[in-house]
Amino acid sequence: MAGGHGGGDYKDLVVFLAAAGVVVPLFNRWKISPVLGFLAAGVLLGPDGLGRFADVIPWLSWLTIDDAAQLAQLSELGVAFLLFMIGLELSWERLKAMRRLVFGFGMMQVVVCSAVLAGAFLLLGQPFAGAAVLGMGLALSSTAVVLPVMAERGRMRGNVGRATFGALLAQDLAVAPILITVTVLTTLTAGGGDLSPSVLGPALLTLVPAAVGIALIVLVGRLGLRPLFRSVAKTRTKSHGGSQELFVALCLLIVVGAGVAAQAAGLSMSLGALIAGVLLAETEYRREIEINIEPFKGLLLGVFFVGVGIGLDLDVVAAEPVLVFGLALGVIAIKAVLIFGLAKAWGLSARAAIETALVLGPAGEFAFVIVNTSLVSGAATPAFTQAVLVAATISMFAVPLVAMLGQRLASTSAAAPVSTLVPGAGPDAKDAAVLIVGFGRVGRLVAEMLKEHGQTFLAVDADPATVAAGRRDGYDVSYGDAARPEMLALCGVGTIRALVVTMDAPGKVDDVVIAARGLRDDLIVIARARDDRHAARLYGLGVTDAVPETTEASLQLAENTLVDLGVPMGLVLASIHERRDQFRAVFQAAIPEDRRNRKTRALRASLKP
């Protein structure tokens, strides 16, 4: 691998990291999808790019990636991490809410596109098994490319985002049956295509290890995942957050371990990661896991995109340009037409259906896994299969472009009718009016009062025992550190009406307020303060109201004591009221000038005698 550059075994990894450090900021500045940048970097840095000139200009070997197989292993991890994140979004509640899109529109899209594409390949002279495998492989779209591109363009909310997400989710769920079907077809091909019991029986037996593997992953996950995360969370609590690396390590272990277990059962690594994500979706640790996995997912997906670019065989393109580009355009066109019709049938407007169809038209990463299987087994013609793989790569390059085209077509009709496919704002459409940070005695009482008055809320706490107790009592409580902006974002800080901070640690309260104000300037923030000095500091940080617990308690104690000692009630109330006014003046002075639009409600009004 080292070749003539002498850079050692890690040279390719260094080249990728250097490319990532240049590509992402540069493409962000140009307002171009970084996905397209990674794909282009793969072509440029691969053997068909600068690598072609390394023999003439030796120093170019330092700028090229020689061993694509090394990056392929990392890119497989990237896809597994993406599928794991998708699994985290797949709570049973969400699947139930999106059942029409996932099990209706999405599954029908897979079936119809597979059948039509297989028929097209039959017309092009491919054998039945090869045509079927090619059709199923190209019917799937690229989750790894489409979701980041859609998110970058802000298209994940609304009908287009829901329909796209539902279709991609259905495709991910269909990967296992497709892989099993491909295994059966290739086994039959090796046996001469005979459907006799002597051939079909052993082919169907290949399903047994897969079924057993999935069952074991689900069983072990249900029994062991929550206790594992609870144990690590307790360690973090005792060390005051100092064991963050243990939580990250456990997240990595779950993703990689589930993927390896799936591979051992003859399934894809991505499917194992997807199952692990689904198992963790219902737990209180889902949001904290998402935050810890996100950096690894983004970097490893970058490796995947670079690998796709490296896989673009320019020699095949040069030898058969009409065939390759014709196949790429044909796949996109056929799928787009079919998906458009299905989207219309499932209630999308014409504009939304066009955007959904265009973004789902190109092929996906699983095409390489499925189509390569037919190439190895001889189910399809090798030369034609290689052209199909190159065409699939080119179609993936087109995703950012067709997404831009689809968005422009959809935006030309702002008054387009809105369908009612799934209620809510998007794939994560659980709208809460209030976010409660800290679910101890104070937070629980606030939750009870909100519930009594019909206000929806979500709670988050960093103590696993408190979270577990709240969930046992039926409250929606998640584990996590709300002082992290990422956690607040995942908890819906962008859409909630109010944030209530009830923790008894003044420093943590300050951190949460600072993080919340950094994300939203117009958010109502009510915070629990230790005393009057802490309350004044919180007002300076931008809270709407601060409630100093010791100050109010002290005033009430003094009021009751003086009255019981025989001091006239009127004098007592007057002095208490005067002292409250002094505190309010201090709090009002601490508020930044641009927020002094109303008087504070930090202390209660005195009772009338």
Side-chain angles (χ1 to χ4, degrees):
M1 171 187 145
H5 50 71
D9 292 338
Y10 298 101
K11 192 269 297 183
D12 287 351
L13 188 58
V14 171
V15 172
F16 162 73
L17 292 174
V22 173
V23 166
V24 175
L26 190 62
F27 275 65
N28 280 335
R29 180 177 300 178
W30 291 343
K31 297 183 178 180
I32 301 175
S33 171
V35 172
L36 193 59
F38 279 123
L39 292 170
V43 176
L44 180 65
L45 301 176
D48 285 337
L50 295 177
R52 287 181 177 272
F53 308 101
D55 292 337
V56 180
I57 309 175
W59 61 266
L60 285 178
S61 63
W62 286 90
L63 304 178
T64 58
I65 295 175
D66 304 314
D67 189 359
Q70 186 184 50
L71 289 185
Q73 294 180 339
L74 292 176
S75 66
E76 187 176 7
L77 273 178
V79 178
F81 274 79
L82 176 67
L83 268 293
F84 178 76
M85 296 288 282
I86 292 174
L88 288 176
E89 299 291 329
L90 300 184
S91 63
W92 299 117
E93 178 183 347
R94 178 167 302 166
L95 279 176
K96 183 179 179 181
M98 297 185 67
R99 60 187 180 275
R100 288 189 66 243
L101 285 176
V102 176
F103 301 106
F105 169 67
M107 287 300 180
M108 186 60 67
Q109 177 264 316
V110 174
V111 172
V112 172
C113 289
S114 296
V116 174
L117 288 172
F121 287 123
L122 278 173
L123 294 176
L124 291 175
Q126 295 302 304
F128 173 78
V133 172
L134 293 175
M136 288 185 290
L138 296 180
L140 304 182
S141 306
S142 177
T143 303
V145 179
V146 171
L147 285 186
V149 169
M150 294 284 285
E152 288 163 13
R153 305 191 69 84
R155 305 299 291 173
M156 287 308 297
R157 292 189 175 271
N159 290 329
V160 174
R162 287 193 296 272
T164 303
F165 184 79
L168 291 172
L169 177 54
Q171 293 176 13
D172 294 330
L173 295 175
V175 167
I178 288 177
L179 288 175
I180 293 170
T181 303
V182 169
T183 302
V184 173
L185 286 173
T186 53
T187 304
L188 291 175
T189 300
D194 188 7
L195 294 179
S196 65
S198 61
V199 176
L200 188 59
L204 293 176
L205 284 177
T206 59
L207 306 181
V208 175
V212 172
I214 291 176
L216 285 176
I217 293 173
V218 172
L219 179 63
V220 173
R222 284 203 172 277
L223 294 178
L225 288 181
R226 184 177 259 122
L228 272 176
F229 278 102
R230 185 180 297 125
S231 175
V232 172
K234 287 180 180 178
T235 303
R236 290 180 62 190
T237 302
K238 292 178 182 178
S239 59
H240 304 288
S243 297
Q244 177 71 25
E245 66 277 3
L246 293 180
F247 204 94
V248 175
L250 181 56
C251 292
L252 296 175
L253 172 64
I254 297 302
V255 178
V256 178
V260 170
Q263 282 185 325
L267 301 169
S268 70
M269 187 176 191
S270 301
L271 181 61
L274 175 68
I275 295 172
V278 172
L279 292 174
L280 288 169
E282 298 289 345
T283 70
E284 58 269 35
Y285 304 102
R286 175 172 71 89
R287 291 180 173 86
E288 185 72 12
I289 292 170
E290 287 185 62
I291 294 173
N292 287 284
I293 289 295
E294 184 65 32
F296 298 96
K297 183 203 76 172
L299 186 62
L300 291 172
L301 275 178
V303 179
F304 167 76
F305 298 136
V306 170
V308 171
I310 292 175
L312 181 60
D313 193 336
L314 297 180
D315 290 333
V316 175
V317 177
E320 297 284 353
V322 176
L323 176 62
V324 170
F325 284 102
L327 284 172
L329 292 175
V331 168
I332 295 175
I334 291 173
K335 289 177 64 179
V337 170
L338 296 173
I339 294 170
F340 173 81
L342 291 171
K344 285 285 292 176
W346 257 263
L348 263 70
S349 66
R351 304 282 183 181
I354 290 175
E355 184 175 1
T356 303
L358 285 174
V359 80
L360 292 176
E365 56 273 2
F366 286 110
F368 301 96
V369 177
I370 297 169
V371 176
N372 273 324
T373 302
S374 68
L375 185 63
V376 172
S377 65
T381 307
F384 184 80
T385 304
Q386 190 63 41
V388 169
L389 287 173
V390 175
T393 304
I394 292 174
S395 73
M396 291 176 66
F397 269 80
V399 170
L401 302 178
V402 295
M404 179 177 63
L405 175 62
Q407 183 177 355
R408 288 184 177 179
L409 291 174
S411 63
T412 57
S413 179
V418 178
S419 69
T420 56
L421 293 174
V422 180
D428 191 13
K430 187 170 186 181
D431 298 326
V434 181
L435 174 61
I436 303 172
V437 177
F439 206 68
R441 289 174 296 176
V442 176
R444 185 178 284 256
L445 181 57
V446 172
E448 291 172 356
M449 295 301 296
L450 290 171
K451 185 176 181 180
E452 182 177 333
H453 290 275
Q455 299 296 316
T456 57
F457 63 88
L458 170 68
V460 60
D461 198 290
D463 182 9
T466 301
V467 174
R471 291 177 75 89
R472 279 197 303 270
D473 294 337
Y475 293 103
D476 189 0
V477 191
S478 293
Y479 170 82
D481 182 4
R484 301 171 67 179
E486 302 92 340
M487 175 58 68
L488 290 175
L490 286 175
C491 290
V493 74
T495 57
I496 60 173
R497 295 176 57 196
L499 171 69
V500 182
V501 188
T502 70
M503 296 181 296
D504 60 358
K508 293 298 292 183
V509 173
D510 295 354
D511 292 340
V512 174
V513 171
I514 292 171
R517 274 288 170 248
L519 294 173
R520 266 188 70 184
D521 190 61
D522 61 335
L523 180 64
I524 298 173
V525 180
I526 300 96
R528 173 184 178 182
R530 175 64 60 84
D531 49 30
D532 57 297
R533 286 175 295 180
H534 185 210
R537 186 167 77 243
L538 288 174
Y539 278 114
L541 294 175
V543 299
T544 310
D545 284 304
V547 181
E549 52 184 344
T550 58
T551 303
E552 180 59 40
S554 299
L555 290 175
Q556 292 186 47
L557 285 169
E559 179 181 327
N560 292 336
T561 301
L562 290 170
V563 171
D564 290 342
L565 289 174
V567 179
M569 176 74 75
L571 293 178
V572 172
L573 293 180
S575 61
I576 294 294
H577 184 70
E578 180 180 357
R579 185 58 60 91
R580 284 197 176 102
D581 285 343
Q582 292 175 3
F583 283 123
R584 290 193 186 98
V586 172
F587 299 156
Q588 196 73 28
I591 300 175
E593 291 186 7
D594 59 341
R595 293 185 179 275
R596 296 180 187 175
N597 54 355
R598 69 175 179 84
K599 293 183 178 180
T600 66
R601 293 197 296 266
L603 301 172
R604 70 174 181 86
S606 298
L607 298 176
K608 298 295 182 182

